[in-house]
């Protein structure tokens, strides 16, 4: 189970039971975040290092906040101004950080497999915060958590993932997690942005965005990963928006209570129309909030705890406990 693992490197290797364990623990921490003082002492005495070799806003801040909410000590690393610019290897950088007493390492890296390499060479727990075009497990988990909180389940839902599938680590983590929990996943996007091995993912490939949207319970929209493309894979942004952009008109093909998601950053007017991004179906900002709870759950479980419902709340102010009582286990609407 996830509580016995040292690392979280991807969702491909997790079982359905492990996924549910993380989601259930995240639900408890989501309740913690709603308290007047949203903090628990679960990781007091532990230190987490955030190693970001690529630009990030939501993921980096979300992990930092999750660590602080769990009372862990946090150190942040960025390549600019570090010894990496002097030629130090990834392994040496991480091992030097670990020698300072680090217990958990969160890493985002442009090379697929970098977190796996670290995990093999460090005693500290390693969490993949996005590696190349491989996986982004905590983004996949927070997306799935958001859907489950809104719908109360994953099994039987129809999920459409639209956009640059080939270069998206978010797409891969979503696909692995959703299919293991029983969702039917359909993907759509430019043929030049579809991975050759896509059939093995257990998804349906739609011929158009309109086809993918038919009867969808959830639409997850991905941006074009320009930073990972070696050449132009579409005629123009205007043409991409016309053929593959999700508009309110296209959204009418989905179910009336469809959920619209986007991992960010958004390119408004390209892959997602302005009124869709800000419309009544959008849960994009909810995803961001849920991301903190999910990352709290992952940190908590990898630190050696087991999912047992309510995390330790000793030292949480009495008024916070009295105000909110026991965490609710009902889906958030």
């Amino acid at each position: 189970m996830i509580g016995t693992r040292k690392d979280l490197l991807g969702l491909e290797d997790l079982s359905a039971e492990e996924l549910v364990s993380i989601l259930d623990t995240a639900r408890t921490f989501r309740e913690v975040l709603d308290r007047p003082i949203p903090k628990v002492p679960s990781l007091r005495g532990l230190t987490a290092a955030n190693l970001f070799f690529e630009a990030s806003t939501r993921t980096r801040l979300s992990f930092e906040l999750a660590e602080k909410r769990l009372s862990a000590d946090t150190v942040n690393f960025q390549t600019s101004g570090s010894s990496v610019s002097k030629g130090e290897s990834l392994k040496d950088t991480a091992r030097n950080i670990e020698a300072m007493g680090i217990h958990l390492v969160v890493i985002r890296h442009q090379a697929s497999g970098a977190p796996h390499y670290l995990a093999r060479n460090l005693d500290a727990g390693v969490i993949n915060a996005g590696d190349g075009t491989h996986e982004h497990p905590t983004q996949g988990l927070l997306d799935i958590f958001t859907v489950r909180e809104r719908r109360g389940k994953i099994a039987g839902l129809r999920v459409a993932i639209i956009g640059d599938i080939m270069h998206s680590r978010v797409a891969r983590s979503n696909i692995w997690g959703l299919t293991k929990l029983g969702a039917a996943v359909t993907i759509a996007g430019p043929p030049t942005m579809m991975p050759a091995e896509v059939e093995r993912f257990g998804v349906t490939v739609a011929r158009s965005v309109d086809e993918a949207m038919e009867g969808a319970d959830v639409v997850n929209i991905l941006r074009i990963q320009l930073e990972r493309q070696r050449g132009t894979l579409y005629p123009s942004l205007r043409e991409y928006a016309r053929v593959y952009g999700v508009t309110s008109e296209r959204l009418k093909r989905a179910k009336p209570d469809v959920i619209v998601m986007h991992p960010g950053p958004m390119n408004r007017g390209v892959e997602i129309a302005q009124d869709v991004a800000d419309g009544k179906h959008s849960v994009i900002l909810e995803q961001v909030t849920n991301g903190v709870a999910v990352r709290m759950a992952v940190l908590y479980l990898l630190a050696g705890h087991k999912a047992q419902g309510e995390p330790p709340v000793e030292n949480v102010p009495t008024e916070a406990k009295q105000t909110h009582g026991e965490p609710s286990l009902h889906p958030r609407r």
Side-chain angles (χ1 to χ4, degrees):
M1 297 299 290
I2 185 67
T4 64
R5 287 180 180 265
K6 180 177 79 74
D7 314 298
L8 176 66
L9 305 177
L11 300 192
E12 183 178 5
D13 297 329
L14 296 187
S15 66
E17 291 75 20
E18 288 175 308
L19 291 169
V20 170
S21 174
I22 297 171
L23 297 176
D24 287 345
T25 307
R27 177 180 286 174
T28 300
F29 282 119
R30 184 65 182 82
E31 297 291 340
V32 169
L33 294 176
D34 287 336
R35 296 173 178 173
I37 301 178
K39 194 167 185 176
V40 290
S42 305
L43 298 191
R44 181 177 294 162
L46 298 185
T47 304
N50 300 311
L51 278 61
F52 279 74
F53 292 82
E54 282 188 317
S56 174
T57 300
R58 279 157 298 278
T59 302
R60 179 175 56 83
L61 293 179
S62 183
F63 266 113
E64 287 180 29
L65 190 56
E67 291 152 5
K68 293 179 187 299
R69 293 288 185 252
L70 290 167
S71 302
D73 294 320
T74 301
V75 293
N76 297 308
F77 169 93
Q78 291 181 310
T79 53
S80 59
S82 75
S83 293
V84 170
S85 61
K86 302 176 184 177
E88 185 172 65
S89 70
L90 172 62
K91 180 179 178 180
D92 285 338
T93 297
R95 294 188 70 176
N96 275 279
I97 291 174
E98 185 177 51
M100 298 176 193
I102 301 299
H103 303 93
L104 293 165
V105 175
V106 178
I107 178 171
R108 166 169 287 193
H109 202 282
Q110 64 272 19
S112 298
H116 301 70
Y117 175 77
L118 275 193
R120 291 192 299 269
N121 288 280
L122 296 181
D123 292 328
V126 176
I127 300 173
N128 181 2
D131 63 326
T133 60
H134 176 235
E135 277 213 55
H136 193 347
T138 57
Q139 180 67 47
L141 286 165
L142 75 87
D143 290 345
I144 295 167
F145 178 81
T146 302
V147 173
R148 195 175 78 151
E149 291 297 286
R150 280 286 183 135
R151 288 288 183 266
K153 65 175 186 176
I154 298 297
L157 295 181
R158 299 182 64 181
V159 181
I161 302 177
I162 312 293
D164 183 359
I165 308 295
M166 177 185 289
H167 304 97
S168 176
R169 52 199 178 199
V170 173
R172 285 169 173 77
S173 289
N174 267 271
I175 289 168
W176 291 126
L178 287 165
T179 54
K180 286 179 182 182
L181 294 177
V185 179
T186 300
I187 61 175
T192 53
M193 297 183 189
M194 283 289 168
E197 75 282 7
V198 69
E199 287 78 10
R200 78 178 179 89
F201 289 2
V203 300
T204 299
V205 182
R207 291 169 294 181
S208 67
V209 172
D210 290 340
E211 180 184 323
M213 301 275 279
E214 287 290 345
D217 295 287
V218 180
V219 176
N220 202 344
I221 306 163
L222 308 174
R223 71 180 177 89
I224 304 169
Q225 304 273 315
L226 292 174
E227 70 274 20
R228 305 190 198 287
Q229 297 180 10
R230 297 181 179 179
T232 303
L233 301 177
Y234 55 92
S236 66
L237 289 178
R238 178 178 293 183
E239 184 68 8
Y240 184 94
R242 185 184 71 81
V243 180
Y244 299 105
V246 176
T247 62
S248 55
E249 189 62 30
R250 282 199 166 115
L251 204 59
K252 292 177 182 178
R253 295 176 176 271
K255 290 185 177 175
D257 59 350
V258 64
I259 297 171
V260 173
M261 311 178 76
H262 195 303
M266 289 186 290
N267 293 299
R268 293 170 180 260
V270 181
E271 75 270 9
I272 185 170
Q274 190 94 354
D275 57 345
V276 174
D278 300 325
K280 64 180 181 180
H281 299 289
S282 174
V283 295
I284 295 170
L285 292 179
E286 193 173 320
Q287 288 173 261
V288 177
T289 303
N290 289 338
V292 178
V294 165
R295 287 167 178 131
M296 287 175 73
V298 169
L299 290 160
Y300 174 80
L301 292 170
L302 291 184
H305 302 287
K306 296 180 180 178
Q308 297 175 338
E310 172 74 349
V313 293
E314 62 270 20
N315 302 324
V316 174
T318 303
E319 69 227 31
K321 297 179 186 178
Q322 292 174 341
T323 300
H324 290 267
E326 290 301 312
S328 169
L329 295 183
H330 296 292
R332 190 177 303 277
R333 299 294 182 187

